[in-house]
Amino acid sequence: MGGSMKMLAALAVLAVAVPSADAVAAPAARKAPVKADWTKRVMVTPDGGFLVGNPAAKAKLVEYGSLSCPYCQRFHQEAIAGLRARIATGDVNFEFHPFAVHSADPILHALLRCAGPARFNKFSDDFYDGQATLAAAYEKWAEANPTADPSATAADRIAYADAWGFTAFAATHGLTRTQLTKCLSNASAIQQQRDRESQANKDLGVSSTPTFLLNGQKLVIYAWPDIDQAITTALSS
């Protein structure tokens, strides 16, 4: 084949292989938007609460609760499936404020704070699920020492947390020994939590757990079916 014929053949191949500049490009495939899993969106609020869900939700349920409180545990077990189904819609959020009612609570709630928002759901789920066992050593001690303060010093907090199994529990939720020691030695953070509880008592009348507010209004109901109905009313208003 002559040189001119070879050149024409090569140009013919290029014409087939290379799209024309005038060709219309196919539109890029569009990905469906990722739906937010609001039940896993947890943040710490400026006043120390753990906010689960859409911050802009229409219905905002707040609980002042204690991890050692059996009534809080009962509510958690009764409500958690339905509450998380509500949270998942983005229309409802839930904010948990630790509130001490037993002498072990400052220790427990310090560990909850140090575990952080990403671990909040599992930490609280697991403690409530195992509360009968996890609180047994503390309750036995409290019965024998009704006026003692296990949180008086950093050394006390660490020693009692170890003795009652609280540090071992927190370690299974990702806290190292160094982090645990630092957490329980942080007197200013523990005092800040006490101050927040005093403010909640003064401003909102919180004196026991669980205490609930819905859209800023204190509730006088405690069972999940009643609270669920109150949420429905709030969403329809």
Side-chain angles (χ1 to χ4, degrees):
M1 184 184 293
S4 59
M5 292 297 293
K6 289 180 179 180
M7 180 66 71
L8 288 172
L11 289 173
V13 170
L14 284 173
V16 172
V18 179
S20 166
D22 296 329
V24 178
R30 293 184 180 179
K31 294 183 179 179
V34 177
K35 187 177 180 180
D37 185 351
W38 290 116
T39 64
K40 291 182 170 59
R41 302 289 185 91
V42 186
M43 60 178 287
V44 177
T45 62
D47 55 350
F50 290 90
L51 177 65
V52 184
N54 177 8
K58 183 175 182 180
K60 299 171 171 59
L61 179 67
V62 173
E63 176 189 356
Y64 284 84
S66 156
L67 289 182
S68 71
C69 163
Y71 302 103
C72 301
Q73 188 264 0
R74 183 185 304 169
F75 173 78
H76 181 87
Q77 300 288 62
E78 179 185 64
I80 195 61
L83 179 56
R84 286 192 177 144
R86 289 280 202 180
I87 292 169
T89 66
D91 295 328
V92 178
N93 66 34
F94 172 69
E95 187 173 340
F96 180 84
H97 284 264
F99 191 90
V101 291
H102 299 130
S103 58
D105 287 339
I107 295 171
L108 271 175
H109 295 160
L111 294 173
L112 176 65
R113 172 181 54 78
C114 292
R119 299 185 180 105
F120 169 76
N121 283 333
K122 184 162 176 55
F123 192 107
S124 55
D125 285 353
D126 290 350
F127 198 92
Y128 281 134
D129 287 346
Q131 189 192 81
T133 300
L134 289 165
Y138 157 70
E139 289 171 350
K140 184 176 180 180
W141 174 89
E143 187 176 347
N145 303 274
T147 61
D149 180 7
S151 294
T153 68
D156 287 338
R157 291 189 290 272
I158 293 167
Y160 285 116
D162 286 346
W164 299 334
F166 295 165
T167 50
F169 174 83
T172 66
H173 290 76
L175 290 175
T176 67
R177 183 67 192 183
T178 298
Q179 290 172 325
L180 292 165
T181 300
K182 183 178 180 182
C183 176
L184 295 173
S185 299
N186 191 340
S188 63
I190 289 172
Q191 184 58 51
Q192 182 182 47
Q193 177 58 31
R194 287 180 174 140
D195 292 343
R196 286 169 173 158
E197 291 166 8
S198 295
Q199 199 67 41
N201 174 259
K202 178 182 177 182
D203 294 347
L204 302 170
V206 179
S207 60
S208 61
T209 57
T211 294
F212 298 102
L213 291 83
L214 181 60
N215 289 347
Q217 299 299 310
K218 190 175 178 181
L219 300 178
V220 291
I221 51 178
Y222 303 94
W224 169 244
D226 296 332
I227 293 175
D228 189 41
Q229 182 56 52
I231 290 172
T232 297
T233 301
L235 290 174
S236 64
S237 63

